[in-house]
Amino acid sequence: MNKKNKILPWEYSFPSIMLIGLIVVFPIIYTIYISFTNMNLYHWTDYEFIAFDNYRRALTKLDSGFMSALLTTIIWTVLNMVIQILAAYLIALGLNAKGLKLARLYKTLLMFPWAMPAYISILLWRVGIFNPQYGLLNKIRSALGFSSMDYLSENIPAFISCMVLNLWMALPFLIMMMDGALQSVDNSYYESARLDGGGWWAQNLYITIPSIKPILAPSIIMTTFTTFKQFDIIYLLTMQKGSLTGATLQTVITYAHQNAFVSNNYGLSSAVSIVIFGFIILFSLFVNRGIREEHV
Amino acid sequence: MRIKTARRIALLSILNVFFVLLCFITLIPILYAFLLSISSDSSAFGNGFLFPQSPTLKNYKAILVEEPFLIWLKNSVVLSLGTMILAMGTSVTASYAFSRFRFRGRNEMLKLLLILNAFPQILSMFAIFRLFKNMNLLNNYIGLILIYAGSMCIFSIWNMKGYFDTIPIEIEESARIDGGSSGQIIWKIVLPLARPSIIVTAVMVLIFVWNEYLFATTFLMKEENYNLAGGLYQLQANDYNRSWSLFSAAAILVSVPILILFFSIQKYMVSGLTTGGVKG
């Protein structure tokens, strides 16, 4: 494993480094550059440098909406993660119950939301489930004699709708990971626990959870990142071009996107993007150190 | 003992009921879309509550004949294959280099790639948009393929590097003693050994491009070069005509190949995703 050669490895990786440089690195640098200018629709080419004004506007002025978007994002991430972890754990426990013969079939069926193309699932939910006239939810409501309701027109129902959809889409991955982790727990632990008279709670708290925690850490961290930067659900459900539903939910990512592509405030959008990237780097450094310490 | 088995059976039946319900609830949106796609317009949204009275395939026929579905499909295939070739062509050699050689800057480079991978690409979409506008790459498959390949390249490098790491270097060394050149060794020995990982990575790149809509709908603005994502997006955006049953027929048609691909590589998805994602 110790081939030493100074030039050959760079030759091998040169094409991909060029590609990544052009598509990933350069746009980030360019975004930093734009974030220090007042570039917008009226200043497409004759923009000026305004130093940190965009950052100041995003971080200190409440009416810029960034801080409330940040708060929404934090609530969104925490709620989703707590519910997901609990639900996935219980479902995976159920799937691993001894004697459940159909477990494999259930597992395959439960994987479907993960396998579906995400944008198609979201659009199907928008059209088939949440739509005020034809959606399934409102068909059930009207069958029960209630009046129909637009689930996406106000912030709190829209937030809950987005969350339900996010759970539907994201749970299969975590269930799968938890299921794998549960199968790796040594059965003899449970036997000795049972001999010592440990009940269901004790077995879960003292055996299952501690043994699957290190295996699950990477997938939980990954899911946290995806939940944090979830854009498609909120965008496609509530703020599609030309068909805003009335809800004004914004997470930091949709906020950056709206400012770039709807209100054409490129400077502000870029500043916000850089701030978000900063958060992500800090968070991943923090998480990486946490994992390393746990392993030592 | 008999009480215990009775309790077990009761518990298992409860679990079975729970899982049957859970699977049913999970599949409702997909089943509903399917029912919509085989129903004639009136019974879909009219009185028929769940099951259409007269199932029909005419929505599928309509989407294939009346809508430019086949053109969208062709465009999606061009994008997916183009991306796959570019991303794999560049990342196979790079992942080999990062796995086999110990050179200055290797660790730093790998860490940098991880940080870059954490960057949500939506955030630099405007910068890419402006850049491509100046380079005349908007409304152009080459532009979109470059974007997709660039963002999947990092994932592919990490994913395949992990697999190359598990191939013992002794195999290569003995081939070298037998007089093979490095090019021959890579082509004839290492790549065939790494084939499972290369195939899985390539399929994941394919699925990614097939499922991507945001860049596709932002960068392909002319109707004639829409791909499936652009076309389906447009179909569901017209609220007030019969396009919804058409849309669900199209949704089913687009999802089926992906479902097949997904379930055929499912057992690799998990390991691939987690090693590519966060391991530092």
Side-chain angles (χ1 to χ4, degrees):
Chain A
M1 285 298 260
N2 274 318
K3 282 194 199 170
K4 288 219 169 100
N5 194 323
K6 275 189 184 147
I7 302 162
L8 197 60
W10 290 112
E11 276 174 26
Y12 280 167
S13 40
F14 180 73
S16 49
I17 290 176
M18 278 296 292
L19 188 62
I20 295 168
L22 173 71
I23 296 300
V24 184
V25 181
F26 184 73
I28 295 177
I29 295 170
Y30 195 34
T31 305
I32 297 175
Y33 172 85
I34 298 173
S35 74
F36 291 114
T37 69
N38 66 347
M39 192 189 287
N40 58 35
L41 204 56
Y42 309 106
H43 300 275
W44 180 257
T45 44
D46 59 338
Y47 50 84
E48 290 162 14
F49 284 90
I50 53 169
F52 286 95
D53 274 11
N54 287 319
Y55 290 90
R56 210 170 293 135
R57 192 170 146 204
L59 293 172
T60 58
K61 290 206 179 128
L62 284 178
D63 60 332
S64 72
F66 177 65
M67 290 322 256
S68 65
L70 187 63
L71 185 70
T72 313
T73 315
I74 292 171
I75 298 173
W76 163 264
T77 313
V78 171
L79 267 180
N80 266 298
M81 287 314 292
V82 170
I83 300 176
Q84 266 185 59
I85 292 173
L86 276 178
Y89 180 68
L90 291 176
I91 293 172
L93 270 189
L95 285 171
N96 276 287
K98 252 186 237 149
L100 193 71
K101 289 195 186 103
L102 291 172
R104 273 184 68 94
L105 174 69
Y106 296 145
K107 255 183 249 176
T108 312
L109 290 179
L110 289 178
M111 285 309 113
F112 267 81
W114 179 17
M116 290 282 288
Y119 77 91
I120 291 189
S121 305
I122 300 168
L123 296 180
L124 281 179
W125 273 72
R126 188 179 96 96
V127 171
I129 308 288
F130 293 130
N131 184 278
Q133 280 152 296
Y134 311 119
L136 193 60
L137 282 179
N138 274 314
K139 284 196 154 194
I140 296 172
R141 277 180 76 98
S142 62
L144 294 175
F146 293 103
S147 60
S148 73
M149 170 183 177
D150 189 354
Y151 293 90
L152 302 174
S153 67
E154 271 167 78
N155 281 345
I156 290 175
F159 185 89
I160 295 171
S161 304
C162 291
M163 211 166 80
V164 171
L165 177 51
N166 186 54
L167 289 176
W168 183 83
M169 285 172 50
L171 265 178
F173 172 71
L174 262 192
I175 294 175
M176 183 92 159
M177 301 309 293
M178 295 247 181
D179 179 61
L182 285 178
Q183 279 165 9
S184 70
V185 182
D186 196 341
N187 246 329
S188 59
Y189 290 139
Y190 293 113
E191 274 156 31
S192 49
R194 230 166 284 140
L195 287 179
D196 292 342
W200 188 84
W201 281 106
Q203 287 182 24
N204 275 302
L205 278 178
Y206 300 115
I207 303 173
T208 318
I209 293 174
S211 18
I212 62 174
K213 217 166 80 184
I215 313 174
L216 280 177
S219 19
I220 288 181
I221 293 163
M222 207 181 92
T223 318
T224 313
F225 274 112
T226 10
T227 315
F228 174 82
K229 59 184 190 191
Q230 177 56 254
F231 169 83
D232 303 355
I233 293 179
I234 297 161
Y235 177 76
L236 285 179
L237 278 190
T238 69
M239 45 172 81
Q240 276 185 38
K241 252 175 269 159
S243 59
L244 296 173
T245 57
T248 52
L249 280 181
Q250 293 277 14
T251 69
V252 282
I253 305 274
T254 61
Y255 180 81
H257 179 266
Q258 291 284 298
N259 270 301
F261 287 90
V262 179
S263 39
N264 300 312
N265 223 325
Y266 313 122
L268 179 65
S269 164
S270 301
V272 167
S273 302
I274 297 306
V275 171
I276 300 170
F277 192 32
F279 281 140
I280 292 177
I281 293 177
L282 277 182
F283 183 67
S284 45
L285 288 178
F286 176 72
V287 160
N288 269 343
R289 211 172 52 202
I291 291 182
R292 219 163 286 148
E293 271 162 13
E294 213 164 274
H295 276 291
V296 168
Chain B
M1 240 11 215
R2 193 173 294 160
I3 298 170
K4 234 182 176 174
T5 45
R7 247 188 77 188
R8 264 214 94 69
I9 291 169
L11 191 74
L12 276 178
S13 345
I14 293 173
L15 268 180
N16 273 312
V17 171
F18 169 74
F19 275 114
V20 169
L21 275 178
L22 186 70
C23 289
F24 180 68
I25 293 172
T26 306
L27 293 178
I28 280 179
I30 303 172
L31 289 176
Y32 190 66
F34 176 71
L35 290 178
L36 219 63
S37 75
I38 57 164
S39 61
S40 50
D41 306 344
S42 52
S43 67
F45 293 129
N47 298 322
F49 181 59
L50 267 185
F51 206 82
Q53 276 123 14
S54 49
T56 162
L57 285 177
K58 78 176 173 105
N59 291 318
Y60 288 92
K61 202 180 142 200
I63 189 81
L64 290 174
V65 180
E66 290 162 26
E67 301 283 334
F69 185 82
L70 294 174
I71 298 175
W72 302 338
L73 178 74
K74 186 206 80 192
N75 293 341
S76 273
V77 170
V78 169
L79 283 174
S80 309
L81 289 182
T83 305
M84 195 180 84
I85 292 168
L86 186 59
M88 296 308 284
T90 51
S91 59
V92 167
T93 51
S95 54
Y96 178 80
F98 281 114
S99 166
R100 283 303 193 242
F101 294 95
R102 293 292 174 270
F103 51 93
R104 252 179 81 187
R106 173 185 175 274
N107 287 332
E108 290 75 9
M109 200 69 198
L110 281 171
K111 267 191 201 130
L112 180 70
L113 286 182
L114 272 190
I115 292 179
L116 290 177
N117 202 28
F119 182 79
Q121 200 144 34
I122 302 180
L123 296 183
S124 60
M125 193 159 82
F126 173 72
I128 302 178
F129 191 85
R130 198 179 153 97
L131 193 67
F132 275 23
K133 195 166 186 171
N134 294 333
M135 292 160 70
N136 265 326
L137 283 171
L138 292 183
N139 283 317
N140 183 327
Y141 297 131
I142 297 176
L144 210 50
I145 288 176
L146 279 173
I147 297 176
Y148 290 152
S151 41
M152 283 315 273
C153 205
I154 302 177
F155 162 79
S156 311
I157 290 176
W158 263 97
N159 206 18
M160 290 189 287
K161 175 197 165 289
Y163 196 85
F164 280 127
D165 286 345
T166 64
I167 301 175
I169 194 148
E170 288 76 17
I171 297 176
E172 282 174 54
E173 277 162 0
S174 58
R176 186 152 296 128
I177 294 166
D178 292 341
S181 69
S182 350
Q184 271 178 336
I185 291 172
I186 294 179
W187 263 114
K188 297 219 169 119
I189 297 174
V190 182
L191 288 189
L193 280 175
R195 201 165 59 189
S197 161
I198 293 175
I199 291 175
V200 169
T201 312
V203 171
M204 285 162 108
V205 172
L206 212 70
I207 294 181
F208 167 81
V209 178
W210 193 266
N211 292 353
E212 207 286 329
Y213 80 95
L214 185 62
F215 277 84
T217 51
T218 312
F219 284 69
L220 299 176
M221 291 169 293
K222 289 194 188 132
E223 238 170 85
E224 66 261 26
N225 51 25
Y226 273 171
N227 67 344
L228 286 171
L232 262 72
Y233 185 85
Q234 191 199 29
L235 267 186
Q236 60 83 42
N238 312 331
D239 268 353
Y240 297 105
N241 50 32
R242 64 195 195 91
S243 64
W244 280 359
S245 33
L246 281 183
F247 167 74
S248 19
I252 300 283
L253 284 179
V254 175
S255 312
V256 167
I258 287 302
L259 292 175
I260 295 172
L261 269 184
F262 178 91
F263 283 106
S264 58
I265 63 156
Q266 188 198 7
K267 64 175 172 179
Y268 306 100
M269 289 288 280
V270 169
S271 59
L273 281 175
T274 40
T275 44
V278 263
K279 222 164 85 186

